[in-house]
Amino acid sequence: IDLYEWQGRLQHEVFVEDAMKAKQWSESPWELRLGNGRRVLGDLWGRAHEVWHRLLSAVEDKTHAEEHGPSIIVTHRSFSEALLSVALGLPEQAFRHFRLNNCEAVEVWFKDPQDSSKGGFGEILWRRRYPKEGPWHTAKQEREVLQNTPPQPLGVLEKLRAAGLEKK
């Protein structure tokens, strides 16, 4: 994730010096604009869409799939969450919905890959694989959870206030 002018700075510095944008990052990150007005999550979701479409092209290529078998993607947590959201057709508001951990592995599976009524790849399922295996989830289930669960703020501002670090 590209945080533009926040790159390389300590979190508490950013939250003290730029409290309004930090509050937005905590509560509604899909609205945050940095780097001369760029939508931080818009850029992240754009990159995730690009990678997802490249992966779908590889799946469509039967020769590639037969020669190479399953694929593994290793990436940072934020991009993993964005890529999983894009794969399931979820909006930017799904950012932080999955709460993946560093080094966590997830599996994505194309159920009924020949079913062209669902975009040619059938239903897409996902589950956590490492460090603990979890149950399969559908895009429909994730959309329902997302619609019925308000976004959870990070709570960093409250921690700064408690520590007396908030800018007066």
Side-chain angles (χ1 to χ4, degrees), residues 91-130:
E92 294 168 16
Q93 287 77 4
F95 186 66
R96 299 190 189 118
H97 168 71
F98 296 105
R99 301 282 185 177
L100 298 176
N101 295 309
N102 288 326
C103 299
E104 185 165 0
V106 300
E107 180 178 8
V108 176
W109 185 54
F110 299 95
K111 184 177 178 184
D112 303 322
Q114 303 308 315
D115 184 353
S116 61
S117 70
K118 296 183 179 90
F121 296 99
E123 185 176 12
I124 296 173
L125 306 171
W126 84 279
R127 67 176 170 175
R128 296 175 188 271
R129 289 292 298 206
Y130 177 86

mmCIF file of all heavy atoms in Angstrom, residues 91-130:
data_model
loop_
_atom_site.group_PDB
_atom_site.id
_atom_site.type_symbol
_atom_site.label_atom_id
_atom_site.label_comp_id
_atom_site.label_asym_id
_atom_site.label_seq_id
_atom_site.Cartn_x
_atom_site.Cartn_y
_atom_site.Cartn_z
ATOM 1 N N PRO A 91 -16.089 -4.363 -2.373
ATOM 2 C CA PRO A 91 -15.634 -2.985 -2.586
ATOM 3 C C PRO A 91 -14.498 -2.595 -1.640
ATOM 4 O O PRO A 91 -14.127 -3.357 -0.743
ATOM 5 C CB PRO A 91 -16.896 -2.169 -2.273
ATOM 6 C CG PRO A 91 -17.587 -2.969 -1.217
ATOM 7 C CD PRO A 91 -17.342 -4.413 -1.615
ATOM 8 N N GLU A 92 -13.997 -1.396 -1.812
ATOM 9 C CA GLU A 92 -12.913 -0.875 -0.977
ATOM 10 C C GLU A 92 -13.306 -0.817 0.497
ATOM 11 O O GLU A 92 -12.441 -0.852 1.373
ATOM 12 C CB GLU A 92 -12.503 0.519 -1.450
ATOM 13 C CG GLU A 92 -11.882 0.517 -2.824
ATOM 14 C CD GLU A 92 -11.727 1.903 -3.422
ATOM 15 O OE1 GLU A 92 -11.823 2.908 -2.675
ATOM 16 O OE2 GLU A 92 -11.516 1.991 -4.637
ATOM 17 N N GLN A 93 -14.592 -0.743 0.777
ATOM 18 C CA GLN A 93 -15.048 -0.727 2.160
ATOM 19 C C GLN A 93 -14.743 -2.042 2.872
ATOM 20 O O GLN A 93 -14.860 -2.134 4.094
ATOM 21 C CB GLN A 93 -16.553 -0.419 2.241
ATOM 22 C CG GLN A 93 -16.899 1.014 1.943
ATOM 23 C CD GLN A 93 -16.870 1.346 0.452
ATOM 24 O OE1 GLN A 93 -16.662 0.488 -0.404
ATOM 25 N NE2 GLN A 93 -17.078 2.619 0.135
ATOM 26 N N ALA A 94 -14.324 -3.055 2.123
ATOM 27 C CA ALA A 94 -13.939 -4.338 2.724
ATOM 28 C C ALA A 94 -12.521 -4.291 3.291
ATOM 29 O O ALA A 94 -12.078 -5.253 3.912
ATOM 30 C CB ALA A 94 -14.051 -5.456 1.694
ATOM 31 N N PHE A 95 -11.813 -3.188 3.087
ATOM 32 C CA PHE A 95 -10.468 -3.061 3.633
ATOM 33 C C PHE A 95 -10.535 -3.312 5.139
ATOM 34 O O PHE A 95 -11.374 -2.765 5.832
ATOM 35 C CB PHE A 95 -9.901 -1.666 3.345
ATOM 36 C CG PHE A 95 -8.472 -1.496 3.747
ATOM 37 C CD1 PHE A 95 -7.468 -2.193 3.116
ATOM 38 C CD2 PHE A 95 -8.127 -0.608 4.753
ATOM 39 C CE1 PHE A 95 -6.132 -2.029 3.472
ATOM 40 C CE2 PHE A 95 -6.801 -0.431 5.112
ATOM 41 C CZ PHE A 95 -5.812 -1.139 4.483
ATOM 42 N N ARG A 96 -9.672 -4.150 5.632
ATOM 43 C CA ARG A 96 -9.598 -4.596 7.025
ATOM 44 C C ARG A 96 -10.697 -5.591 7.398
ATOM 45 O O ARG A 96 -10.779 -6.017 8.537
ATOM 46 C CB ARG A 96 -9.620 -3.425 8.007
ATOM 47 C CG ARG A 96 -8.470 -2.475 7.849
ATOM 48 C CD ARG A 96 -8.409 -1.482 9.004
ATOM 49 N NE ARG A 96 -7.447 -0.457 8.744
ATOM 50 C CZ ARG A 96 -7.747 0.839 8.635
ATOM 51 N NH1 ARG A 96 -8.972 1.251 8.818
ATOM 52 N NH2 ARG A 96 -6.801 1.706 8.367
ATOM 53 N N HIS A 97 -11.562 -5.954 6.467
ATOM 54 C CA HIS A 97 -12.626 -6.916 6.753
ATOM 55 C C HIS A 97 -12.055 -8.286 7.119
ATOM 56 O O HIS A 97 -12.536 -8.945 8.039
ATOM 57 C CB HIS A 97 -13.559 -7.032 5.540
ATOM 58 C CG HIS A 97 -14.513 -8.176 5.583
ATOM 59 N ND1 HIS A 97 -15.579 -8.217 6.454
ATOM 60 C CD2 HIS A 97 -14.557 -9.327 4.880
ATOM 61 C CE1 HIS A 97 -16.246 -9.353 6.269
ATOM 62 N NE2 HIS A 97 -15.646 -10.039 5.327
ATOM 63 N N PHE A 98 -11.024 -8.732 6.418
ATOM 64 C CA PHE A 98 -10.484 -10.067 6.630
ATOM 65 C C PHE A 98 -9.522 -10.151 7.800
ATOM 66 O O PHE A 98 -9.335 -11.196 8.374
ATOM 67 C CB PHE A 98 -9.817 -10.587 5.352
ATOM 68 C CG PHE A 98 -10.796 -10.763 4.236
ATOM 69 C CD1 PHE A 98 -10.839 -9.865 3.185
ATOM 70 C CD2 PHE A 98 -11.710 -11.802 4.247
ATOM 71 C CE1 PHE A 98 -11.753 -10.013 2.155
ATOM 72 C CE2 PHE A 98 -12.634 -11.961 3.239
ATOM 73 C CZ PHE A 98 -12.650 -11.061 2.190
ATOM 74 N N ARG A 99 -8.866 -9.050 8.124
ATOM 75 C CA ARG A 99 -7.915 -9.023 9.235
ATOM 76 C C ARG A 99 -6.914 -10.181 9.151
ATOM 77 O O ARG A 99 -6.726 -10.935 10.093
ATOM 78 C CB ARG A 99 -8.643 -9.049 10.577
ATOM 79 C CG ARG A 99 -9.592 -7.919 10.820
ATOM 80 C CD ARG A 99 -8.865 -6.682 11.213
ATOM 81 N NE ARG A 99 -9.834 -5.625 11.552
ATOM 82 C CZ ARG A 99 -9.495 -4.460 11.978
ATOM 83 N NH1 ARG A 99 -8.229 -4.154 12.126
ATOM 84 N NH2 ARG A 99 -10.399 -3.546 12.243
ATOM 85 N N LEU A 100 -6.291 -10.312 7.978
ATOM 86 C CA LEU A 100 -5.267 -11.341 7.812
ATOM 87 C C LEU A 100 -4.044 -10.971 8.643
ATOM 88 O O LEU A 100 -3.742 -9.794 8.836
ATOM 89 C CB LEU A 100 -4.868 -11.464 6.341
ATOM 90 C CG LEU A 100 -5.976 -11.878 5.380
ATOM 91 C CD1 LEU A 100 -5.455 -11.873 3.946
ATOM 92 C CD2 LEU A 100 -6.564 -13.227 5.740
ATOM 93 N N ASN A 101 -3.349 -11.962 9.104
ATOM 94 C CA ASN A 101 -2.123 -11.745 9.866
ATOM 95 C C ASN A 101 -0.918 -11.837 8.944
ATOM 96 O O ASN A 101 -0.997 -12.432 7.869
ATOM 97 C CB ASN A 101 -1.993 -12.799 10.975
ATOM 98 C CG ASN A 101 -3.087 -12.663 12.001
ATOM 99 O OD1 ASN A 101 -3.332 -11.588 12.529
ATOM 100 N ND2 ASN A 101 -3.773 -13.764 12.276
ATOM 101 N N ASN A 102 0.202 -11.278 9.393
ATOM 102 C CA ASN A 102 1.439 -11.435 8.635
ATOM 103 C C ASN A 102 1.757 -12.923 8.544
ATOM 104 O O ASN A 102 1.563 -13.667 9.502
ATOM 105 C CB ASN A 102 2.584 -10.682 9.303
ATOM 106 C CG ASN A 102 2.437 -9.187 9.139
ATOM 107 O OD1 ASN A 102 1.946 -8.715 8.119
ATOM 108 N ND2 ASN A 102 2.845 -8.437 10.142
ATOM 109 N N CYS A 103 2.221 -13.353 7.403
ATOM 110 C CA CYS A 103 2.589 -14.742 7.109
ATOM 111 C C CYS A 103 1.389 -15.688 7.095
ATOM 112 O O CYS A 103 1.570 -16.908 7.086
ATOM 113 C CB CYS A 103 3.648 -15.259 8.081
ATOM 114 S SG CYS A 103 5.165 -14.309 8.004
ATOM 115 N N GLU A 104 0.185 -15.172 7.081
ATOM 116 C CA GLU A 104 -0.986 -16.036 7.006
ATOM 117 C C GLU A 104 -1.195 -16.468 5.560
ATOM 118 O O GLU A 104 -0.979 -15.699 4.635
ATOM 119 C CB GLU A 104 -2.233 -15.303 7.501
ATOM 120 C CG GLU A 104 -3.450 -16.190 7.569
ATOM 121 C CD GLU A 104 -4.581 -15.589 8.385
ATOM 122 O OE1 GLU A 104 -4.429 -14.467 8.905
ATOM 123 O OE2 GLU A 104 -5.615 -16.252 8.482
ATOM 124 N N ALA A 105 -1.596 -17.709 5.381
ATOM 125 C CA ALA A 105 -1.857 -18.232 4.041
ATOM 126 C C ALA A 105 -3.356 -18.464 3.881
ATOM 127 O O ALA A 105 -4.010 -18.970 4.789
ATOM 128 C CB ALA A 105 -1.100 -19.534 3.828
ATOM 129 N N VAL A 106 -3.880 -18.070 2.716
ATOM 130 C CA VAL A 106 -5.272 -18.340 2.385
ATOM 131 C C VAL A 106 -5.302 -19.114 1.066
ATOM 132 O O VAL A 106 -4.375 -19.027 0.265
ATOM 133 C CB VAL A 106 -6.133 -17.059 2.267
ATOM 134 C CG1 VAL A 106 -6.148 -16.283 3.567
ATOM 135 C CG2 VAL A 106 -5.672 -16.174 1.135
ATOM 136 N N GLU A 107 -6.373 -19.854 0.874
ATOM 137 C CA GLU A 107 -6.554 -20.625 -0.346
ATOM 138 C C GLU A 107 -7.802 -20.109 -1.048
ATOM 139 O O GLU A 107 -8.828 -19.883 -0.406
ATOM 140 C CB GLU A 107 -6.730 -22.099 0.005
ATOM 141 C CG GLU A 107 -6.915 -23.003 -1.192
ATOM 142 C CD GLU A 107 -7.048 -24.466 -0.784
ATOM 143 O OE1 GLU A 107 -7.153 -24.770 0.424
ATOM 144 O OE2 GLU A 107 -7.055 -25.311 -1.698
ATOM 145 N N VAL A 108 -7.695 -19.906 -2.344
ATOM 146 C CA VAL A 108 -8.830 -19.490 -3.168
ATOM 147 C C VAL A 108 -9.109 -20.625 -4.137
ATOM 148 O O VAL A 108 -8.194 -21.159 -4.761
ATOM 149 C CB VAL A 108 -8.514 -18.177 -3.927
ATOM 150 C CG1 VAL A 108 -9.649 -17.796 -4.847
ATOM 151 C CG2 VAL A 108 -8.220 -17.056 -2.935
ATOM 152 N N TRP A 109 -10.364 -20.984 -4.265
ATOM 153 C CA TRP A 109 -10.751 -22.118 -5.101
ATOM 154 C C TRP A 109 -11.881 -21.714 -6.032
ATOM 155 O O TRP A 109 -12.825 -21.047 -5.617
ATOM 156 C CB TRP A 109 -11.189 -23.283 -4.218
ATOM 157 C CG TRP A 109 -11.513 -24.550 -4.933
ATOM 158 C CD1 TRP A 109 -10.725 -25.226 -5.817
ATOM 159 C CD2 TRP A 109 -12.707 -25.309 -4.820
ATOM 160 N NE1 TRP A 109 -11.349 -26.359 -6.255
ATOM 161 C CE2 TRP A 109 -12.580 -26.435 -5.654
ATOM 162 C CE3 TRP A 109 -13.880 -25.151 -4.085
ATOM 163 C CZ2 TRP A 109 -13.577 -27.387 -5.782
ATOM 164 C CZ3 TRP A 109 -14.868 -26.111 -4.212
ATOM 165 C CH2 TRP A 109 -14.708 -27.213 -5.055
ATOM 166 N N PHE A 110 -11.760 -22.121 -7.293
ATOM 167 C CA PHE A 110 -12.793 -21.877 -8.289
ATOM 168 C C PHE A 110 -13.708 -23.091 -8.318
ATOM 169 O O PHE A 110 -13.320 -24.145 -8.800
ATOM 170 C CB PHE A 110 -12.170 -21.682 -9.674
ATOM 171 C CG PHE A 110 -11.236 -20.513 -9.747
ATOM 172 C CD1 PHE A 110 -9.875 -20.694 -9.574
ATOM 173 C CD2 PHE A 110 -11.718 -19.248 -9.995
ATOM 174 C CE1 PHE A 110 -9.015 -19.619 -9.651
ATOM 175 C CE2 PHE A 110 -10.865 -18.172 -10.074
ATOM 176 C CZ PHE A 110 -9.512 -18.355 -9.902
ATOM 177 N N LYS A 111 -14.895 -22.950 -7.792
ATOM 178 C CA LYS A 111 -15.867 -24.045 -7.810
ATOM 179 C C LYS A 111 -16.596 -24.006 -9.141
ATOM 180 O O LYS A 111 -17.035 -22.943 -9.574
ATOM 181 C CB LYS A 111 -16.857 -23.872 -6.651
ATOM 182 C CG LYS A 111 -17.845 -24.992 -6.501
ATOM 183 C CD LYS A 111 -18.722 -24.749 -5.276
ATOM 184 C CE LYS A 111 -19.748 -25.843 -5.142
ATOM 185 N NZ LYS A 111 -20.659 -25.586 -4.035
ATOM 186 N N ASP A 112 -16.749 -25.138 -9.793
ATOM 187 C CA ASP A 112 -17.408 -25.217 -11.102
ATOM 188 C C ASP A 112 -16.777 -24.251 -12.096
ATOM 189 O O ASP A 112 -17.437 -23.352 -12.611
ATOM 190 C CB ASP A 112 -18.916 -24.932 -10.991
ATOM 191 C CG ASP A 112 -19.604 -25.875 -10.033
ATOM 192 O OD1 ASP A 112 -19.238 -27.061 -10.012
ATOM 193 O OD2 ASP A 112 -20.499 -25.429 -9.298
ATOM 194 N N PRO A 113 -15.470 -24.409 -12.403
ATOM 195 C CA PRO A 113 -14.774 -23.439 -13.249
ATOM 196 C C PRO A 113 -15.344 -23.305 -14.656
ATOM 197 O O PRO A 113 -15.093 -22.305 -15.316
ATOM 198 C CB PRO A 113 -13.339 -23.941 -13.278
ATOM 199 C CG PRO A 113 -13.395 -25.352 -12.845
ATOM 200 C CD PRO A 113 -14.599 -25.496 -11.984
ATOM 201 N N GLN A 114 -16.122 -24.248 -15.113
ATOM 202 C CA GLN A 114 -16.683 -24.149 -16.462
ATOM 203 C C GLN A 114 -18.016 -23.404 -16.489
ATOM 204 O O GLN A 114 -18.588 -23.199 -17.546
ATOM 205 C CB GLN A 114 -16.868 -25.547 -17.061
ATOM 206 C CG GLN A 114 -15.594 -26.370 -17.106
ATOM 207 C CD GLN A 114 -14.441 -25.653 -17.776
ATOM 208 O OE1 GLN A 114 -14.610 -25.058 -18.830
ATOM 209 N NE2 GLN A 114 -13.272 -25.681 -17.161
ATOM 210 N N ASP A 115 -18.540 -22.998 -15.349
ATOM 211 C CA ASP A 115 -19.843 -22.334 -15.272
ATOM 212 C C ASP A 115 -19.712 -20.891 -15.750
ATOM 213 O O ASP A 115 -19.354 -20.001 -14.994
ATOM 214 C CB ASP A 115 -20.384 -22.377 -13.844
ATOM 215 C CG ASP A 115 -21.782 -21.795 -13.731
ATOM 216 O OD1 ASP A 115 -22.295 -21.243 -14.725
ATOM 217 O OD2 ASP A 115 -22.360 -21.880 -12.642
ATOM 218 N N SER A 116 -20.008 -20.655 -17.016
ATOM 219 C CA SER A 116 -19.845 -19.325 -17.601
ATOM 220 C C SER A 116 -20.884 -18.332 -17.094
ATOM 221 O O SER A 116 -20.733 -17.132 -17.283
ATOM 222 C CB SER A 116 -19.904 -19.403 -19.125
ATOM 223 O OG SER A 116 -21.158 -19.909 -19.529
ATOM 224 N N SER A 117 -21.941 -18.791 -16.421
ATOM 225 C CA SER A 117 -22.941 -17.852 -15.900
ATOM 226 C C SER A 117 -22.366 -17.008 -14.777
ATOM 227 O O SER A 117 -22.929 -15.990 -14.407
ATOM 228 C CB SER A 117 -24.181 -18.602 -15.400
ATOM 229 O OG SER A 117 -23.873 -19.328 -14.220
ATOM 230 N N LYS A 118 -21.238 -17.410 -14.241
ATOM 231 C CA LYS A 118 -20.605 -16.652 -13.154
ATOM 232 C C LYS A 118 -19.266 -16.092 -13.634
ATOM 233 O O LYS A 118 -18.268 -16.167 -12.930
ATOM 234 C CB LYS A 118 -20.429 -17.543 -11.938
ATOM 235 C CG LYS A 118 -21.741 -18.006 -11.344
ATOM 236 C CD LYS A 118 -21.501 -18.830 -10.101
ATOM 237 C CE LYS A 118 -22.802 -19.274 -9.490
ATOM 238 N NZ LYS A 118 -23.265 -20.557 -10.012
ATOM 239 N N GLY A 119 -19.233 -15.552 -14.800
ATOM 240 C CA GLY A 119 -18.023 -14.923 -15.304
ATOM 241 C C GLY A 119 -17.002 -15.907 -15.835
ATOM 242 O O GLY A 119 -15.850 -15.556 -16.010
ATOM 243 N N GLY A 120 -17.397 -17.147 -16.075
ATOM 244 C CA GLY A 120 -16.483 -18.123 -16.646
ATOM 245 C C GLY A 120 -15.686 -18.896 -15.617
ATOM 246 O O GLY A 120 -14.986 -19.823 -15.953
ATOM 247 N N PHE A 121 -15.768 -18.519 -14.341
ATOM 248 C CA PHE A 121 -14.966 -19.182 -13.330
ATOM 249 C C PHE A 121 -15.803 -19.780 -12.220
ATOM 250 O O PHE A 121 -15.275 -20.273 -11.240
ATOM 251 C CB PHE A 121 -13.931 -18.222 -12.751
ATOM 252 C CG PHE A 121 -12.962 -17.792 -13.796
ATOM 253 C CD1 PHE A 121 -13.109 -16.573 -14.427
ATOM 254 C CD2 PHE A 121 -11.937 -18.627 -14.190
ATOM 255 C CE1 PHE A 121 -12.229 -16.194 -15.419
ATOM 256 C CE2 PHE A 121 -11.060 -18.251 -15.187
ATOM 257 C CZ PHE A 121 -11.206 -17.037 -15.805
ATOM 258 N N GLY A 122 -17.112 -19.740 -12.353
ATOM 259 C CA GLY A 122 -17.964 -20.314 -11.330
ATOM 260 C C GLY A 122 -17.853 -19.547 -10.032
ATOM 261 O O GLY A 122 -17.334 -18.445 -9.979
ATOM 262 N N GLU A 123 -18.290 -20.172 -8.996
ATOM 263 C CA GLU A 123 -18.240 -19.548 -7.676
ATOM 264 C C GLU A 123 -16.814 -19.585 -7.145
ATOM 265 O O GLU A 123 -16.099 -20.569 -7.316
ATOM 266 C CB GLU A 123 -19.176 -20.303 -6.737
ATOM 267 C CG GLU A 123 -19.294 -19.688 -5.389
ATOM 268 C CD GLU A 123 -20.301 -20.412 -4.509
ATOM 269 O OE1 GLU A 123 -20.736 -21.520 -4.865
ATOM 270 O OE2 GLU A 123 -20.628 -19.857 -3.457
ATOM 271 N N ILE A 124 -16.407 -18.519 -6.485
ATOM 272 C CA ILE A 124 -15.072 -18.450 -5.909
ATOM 273 C C ILE A 124 -15.211 -18.571 -4.396
ATOM 274 O O ILE A 124 -15.989 -17.857 -3.768
ATOM 275 C CB ILE A 124 -14.368 -17.138 -6.300
ATOM 276 C CG1 ILE A 124 -14.165 -17.114 -7.823
ATOM 277 C CG2 ILE A 124 -13.047 -17.003 -5.562
ATOM 278 C CD1 ILE A 124 -13.630 -15.823 -8.354
ATOM 279 N N LEU A 125 -14.462 -19.517 -3.833
ATOM 280 C CA LEU A 125 -14.478 -19.762 -2.397
ATOM 281 C C LEU A 125 -13.104 -19.439 -1.820
ATOM 282 O O LEU A 125 -12.103 -19.470 -2.537
ATOM 283 C CB LEU A 125 -14.794 -21.231 -2.114
ATOM 284 C CG LEU A 125 -16.066 -21.794 -2.736
ATOM 285 C CD1 LEU A 125 -16.121 -23.303 -2.539
ATOM 286 C CD2 LEU A 125 -17.284 -21.144 -2.124
ATOM 287 N N TRP A 126 -13.056 -19.174 -0.540
ATOM 288 C CA TRP A 126 -11.768 -18.952 0.106
ATOM 289 C C TRP A 126 -11.806 -19.511 1.522
ATOM 290 O O TRP A 126 -12.858 -19.683 2.111
ATOM 291 C CB TRP A 126 -11.398 -17.470 0.117
ATOM 292 C CG TRP A 126 -12.001 -16.715 1.265
ATOM 293 C CD1 TRP A 126 -13.277 -16.232 1.346
ATOM 294 C CD2 TRP A 126 -11.365 -16.388 2.497
ATOM 295 N NE1 TRP A 126 -13.471 -15.620 2.543
ATOM 296 C CE2 TRP A 126 -12.311 -15.707 3.278
ATOM 297 C CE3 TRP A 126 -10.096 -16.614 3.021
ATOM 298 C CZ2 TRP A 126 -12.014 -15.237 4.552
ATOM 299 C CZ3 TRP A 126 -9.807 -16.148 4.290
ATOM 300 C CH2 TRP A 126 -10.759 -15.463 5.041
ATOM 301 N N ARG A 127 -10.595 -19.807 2.052
ATOM 302 C CA ARG A 127 -10.457 -20.211 3.441
ATOM 303 C C ARG A 127 -9.046 -19.907 3.918
ATOM 304 O O ARG A 127 -8.107 -19.774 3.124
ATOM 305 C CB ARG A 127 -10.753 -21.698 3.627
ATOM 306 C CG ARG A 127 -9.748 -22.613 2.968
ATOM 307 C CD ARG A 127 -10.059 -24.060 3.271
ATOM 308 N NE ARG A 127 -9.242 -24.946 2.462
ATOM 309 C CZ ARG A 127 -9.235 -26.248 2.596
ATOM 310 N NH1 ARG A 127 -10.001 -26.822 3.508
ATOM 311 N NH2 ARG A 127 -8.480 -27.000 1.831
ATOM 312 N N ARG A 128 -8.919 -19.800 5.212
ATOM 313 C CA ARG A 128 -7.604 -19.643 5.831
ATOM 314 C C ARG A 128 -6.925 -21.002 5.844
ATOM 315 O O ARG A 128 -7.573 -22.016 6.079
ATOM 316 C CB ARG A 128 -7.746 -19.106 7.253
ATOM 317 C CG ARG A 128 -8.345 -17.711 7.295
ATOM 318 C CD ARG A 128 -8.594 -17.243 8.725
ATOM 319 N NE ARG A 128 -9.339 -16.011 8.750
ATOM 320 C CZ ARG A 128 -8.807 -14.789 8.724
ATOM 321 N NH1 ARG A 128 -7.497 -14.658 8.677
ATOM 322 N NH2 ARG A 128 -9.569 -13.724 8.730
ATOM 323 N N ARG A 129 -5.617 -21.040 5.575
ATOM 324 C CA ARG A 129 -4.886 -22.303 5.537
ATOM 325 C C ARG A 129 -3.784 -22.385 6.597
ATOM 326 O O ARG A 129 -3.492 -23.457 7.096
ATOM 327 C CB ARG A 129 -4.253 -22.513 4.155
ATOM 328 C CG ARG A 129 -5.237 -22.822 3.057
ATOM 329 C CD ARG A 129 -5.863 -24.159 3.247
ATOM 330 N NE ARG A 129 -4.818 -25.184 3.203
ATOM 331 C CZ ARG A 129 -5.006 -26.426 2.865
ATOM 332 N NH1 ARG A 129 -6.196 -26.846 2.544
ATOM 333 N NH2 ARG A 129 -4.010 -27.273 2.848
ATOM 334 N N TYR A 130 -3.124 -21.286 6.856
ATOM 335 C CA TYR A 130 -2.023 -21.289 7.806
ATOM 336 C C TYR A 130 -2.024 -19.963 8.540
ATOM 337 O O TYR A 130 -2.256 -18.942 7.927
ATOM 338 C CB TYR A 130 -0.681 -21.479 7.073
ATOM 339 C CG TYR A 130 0.502 -21.426 8.003
ATOM 340 C CD1 TYR A 130 0.927 -22.571 8.672
ATOM 341 C CD2 TYR A 130 1.170 -20.235 8.246
ATOM 342 C CE1 TYR A 130 1.998 -22.513 9.552
ATOM 343 C CE2 TYR A 130 2.241 -20.173 9.120
ATOM 344 C CZ TYR A 130 2.646 -21.308 9.770
ATOM 345 O OH TYR A 130 3.686 -21.264 10.656
#
